[in-house]
DNA sequence: AGAAATTTGTTCGTATGTATT
DNA sequence: CAATACATACGAACAAATTTC
């Protein structure tokens, strides 16, 4: 079994990011110097530099030549890509936050798809609709989830909004680690074949109101499951 | 005149990112080797490595030891933080995309704020409301825009959703370059004092429906201005 | 299948500009 | 002003993985 060897700079980056996002390095604090970090992690200074550059890009630190590299307030300077990197990304609170964002995105994606889908997008949508029906025959949730995600992928494209696409990408990044949990919460949504068909039909008909209603209905099921879980285990 | 010296690795990063986002490096292509790039930009290979690591983190390339570093399809692998980095970020289409996302976020932020704002958040909100009224007295749009942004900043916190906060951060990143344009499109929204007051009141009252309606009304003004501009100059 | 060439990964060392004290 | 600490940058070399012949 070939172990996936992570580059040393990535190891340093992950460690520092976890320290910052986890609050072990307080905002305004200076992180250890490059030399100190290179000794502590037993790596060369160049590797540390690569890691710090990435921290800088992620909006987690501010480096200044001559002075200490300071920790920024990531809740102010961080971008959406941090969502799946949060130390408590698997916690119910963060998961709910992500699904609430998805819900609000989904409704708007449905509306814009109904408004803007061209012939090409409609063809893609019909193909995915057929794939979804086939997946329902298979019976297992993993196959169904895959087909359902592909359906939304086509809808995102059909909405013709690059911001929706990029936000959608950010939400799905690193979802592999949460796939098991996702299937649990998405279960009702996945098996609501009627509303899904209604959504597809509304988009194909160009009925924006119906598309929004169907998308809202679908995501509401998942949000409800999350709220119940959150209330049960706080 | 002290020129703002950008680190060499950042210069390489910017150049490569522009080539990828601009389509001059096609998806699936291999980018030049580290040695080639270091010669071409007349910098050390370590600087190139830092730049490539950042490209990798941004989801723009996939590097593999021994093989070529390949360009990924950023519309699939990129996150929301790319929105303000796009070569056509100032183009009307990308601006509209960003404001459509903001509109859908704003409505949900308003609803969740009305639902979840605690006493502390309400105090902050009242303070910002007063600041907004003071800014209206000043008369100039720049001051008003600043106060308006601070209002929404408080609302984002009040909504108690980390995903909303991070997405909001991503949308505002690099807005400095677009501030002049932003004031133009936001003008109607900024000067709609009545609806803004209604939004604040609804949140303080915990009236989710009224909060959503007010937020939708506000953002609709800006979307309308954008649509008119887009139709006029395609 | 195997060897050579290419490319990224990593480490050593060295020098310089800048901010803090 | 001087000393110190820090980030910035360059150069050379070897290791490890992939591609190519």
């Amino acid at each position: 079994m070939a172990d996936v060897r992570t580059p040393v700079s990535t190891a340093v980056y992950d460690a520092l990011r976890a320290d910052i996002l986890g609050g072990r390095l307080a905002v305004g604090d200076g992180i250890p110097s490059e030399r100190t970090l290179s000794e502590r992690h037993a790596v060369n200074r160049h590797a540390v530099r690569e890691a710090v550059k990435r921290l800088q890009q992620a909006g987690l630190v501010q480096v200044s030549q001559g002075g200490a590299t300071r920790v920024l307030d990531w809740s102010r300077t961080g971008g959406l890509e941090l969502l799946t990197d949060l130390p408590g990304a698997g916690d119910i609170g963060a998961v709910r936050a992500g699904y609430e964002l998805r819900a609000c995105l989904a409704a708007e994606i449905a509306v814009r798809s109904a408004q803007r889908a061209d012939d090409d997008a409609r063809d893609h949508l019909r193909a995915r609709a057929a794939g979804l029906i086939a997946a329902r025959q298979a019976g297992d949730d993993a196959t169904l989830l895959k087909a359902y995600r592909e359906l939304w992928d086509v809808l995102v494209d059909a909405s013709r909004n690059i911001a929706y696409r990029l936000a959608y990408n950010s939400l799905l990044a690193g979802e592999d680690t949460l796939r098991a949990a996702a299937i649990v919460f998405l279960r009702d949504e996945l098996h609501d074949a009627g509303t899904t068909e209604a959504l597809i039909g509304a988009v194909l008909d160009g009925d924006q109101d119906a598309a929004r209603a169907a998308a809202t209905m679908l995501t509401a099921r998942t949000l409800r499951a999350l709220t119940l879980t959150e209330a049960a285990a706080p």
Side-chain angles (χ1 to χ4, degrees), chain A:
Chain A
M1 52 175 77
D3 73 298
V4 180
R5 60 176 64 259
T6 61
V8 287
S9 67
T10 300
V12 177
Y13 170 73
D14 287 341
L16 286 173
R17 187 184 58 179
D19 283 345
I20 294 173
L21 295 179
R24 287 179 293 278
L25 287 172
V27 174
D29 278 3
I31 70 174
S33 73
E34 291 183 352
R35 283 183 179 80
T36 305
L37 286 171
S38 70
E39 291 175 8
R40 187 175 302 176
H41 290 87
V43 299
N44 189 270
R45 266 190 347 111
H46 288 300
V48 173
R49 278 184 59 79
E50 290 174 9
V52 172
K53 269 286 184 331
R54 288 175 63 181
L55 289 175
Q56 186 179 12
Q57 180 180 359
L60 298 180
V61 301
Q62 182 180 35
V63 335
S64 59
Q65 186 174 349
T69 297
R70 295 214 136 72
V71 176
L72 295 175
D73 182 0
W74 58 266
S75 73
R76 286 269 178 166
T77 58
L80 186 56
E81 75 278 2
L82 286 184
L83 184 63
T84 53
D85 293 334
L86 256 37
D91 295 356
I92 184 71
V95 172
R96 179 185 53 73
Y99 274 101
E100 280 184 3
L101 177 57
R102 183 193 69 117
C104 116
L105 263 177
E108 216 59 25
I109 286 169
V111 170
R112 298 301 179 185
S113 293
Q115 177 186 0
R116 297 173 183 156
D118 55 17
D119 288 344
D120 202 47
R122 284 162 202 268
D123 285 344
H124 281 105
L125 182 54
R126 276 185 276 261
R128 294 304 183 187
L132 190 60
I133 291 175
R136 289 196 194 281
Q137 310 281 348
D140 70 303
D141 281 357
T143 303
L144 183 54
L145 175 62
K146 185 163 179 290
Y148 189 67
R149 289 216 191 282
E150 288 173 347
L151 169 68
W152 275 103
D153 196 64
V154 170
L155 287 173
V156 173
D157 283 338
S159 69
R160 296 187 169 280
N161 180 311
I162 186 61
Y164 292 166
R165 162 54 69 184
L166 294 175
Y168 184 81
N169 290 348
S170 290
L171 276 177
L172 254 58
E175 61 115 14
D176 293 330
T177 60
L178 305 176
R179 179 160 299 176
I183 289 187
V184 173
F185 298 124
L186 283 169
R187 203 167 173 284
D188 288 346
E189 181 176 341
L190 278 178
H191 287 87
D192 187 350
T195 309
T196 304
E197 292 296 323
L199 168 64
I200 296 169
V203 170
L204 289 176
D205 291 344
D207 188 338
Q208 299 179 31
D209 290 337
R212 179 194 296 276
T216 303
M217 172 99 58
L218 282 170
T219 55
R221 291 190 177 282
T222 298
L223 289 183
R224 197 175 308 128
L226 277 161
T227 304
L228 290 176
T229 303
E230 196 171 14

